Amino acid sequence: MAEKLMKIFPTEGKSIFDVACGISRYHQVWLKSGHKVTGIDISNTFIEYSRNYNKDFDKTRYFVCDFNEFRF
């Protein structure tokens, strides 16, 4: 699915904002393609998992919050 979503943003270096990112299962595909990824989720467990799973990538940011409360 992540590869199919790449057709939406095929060029490198885009910023992707993933709302309700869960365990960030698509993020490594996007990160390896040169994209920056910001993920938010209301679950602290999911965000901690995402941070740990993607710790080798410097173009990630993760926040525990509700979308309605997120400040850009």
Side-chain angles (χ1 to χ4, degrees), residues 6-7 9 18 26 30 41-43 45 60 62 64-65 68:
M6 289 296 294
K7 293 178 183 176
F9 34 84
D18 189 2
Y26 303 147
W30 299 336
D41 201 290
I42 61 172
S43 169
T45 301
T60 60
Y62 293 103
V64 177
C65 69
N68 294 314

Side-chain angles (χ1 to χ4, degrees), residues 22-57:
I23 60 171
S24 66
R25 64 180 154 233
Y26 303 147
H27 292 189
Q28 286 196 6
V29 171
W30 299 336
L31 291 162
K32 288 176 183 176
S33 295
H35 299 287
K36 297 176 185 174
V37 177
T38 299
I40 66 168
D41 201 290
I42 61 172
S43 169
N44 188 53
T45 301
F46 287 166
I47 292 299
E48 286 304 315
Y49 176 87
S50 296
R51 286 179 180 148
N52 186 51
Y53 186 68
N54 297 305
K55 67 183 175 207
D56 294 332
F57 298 94

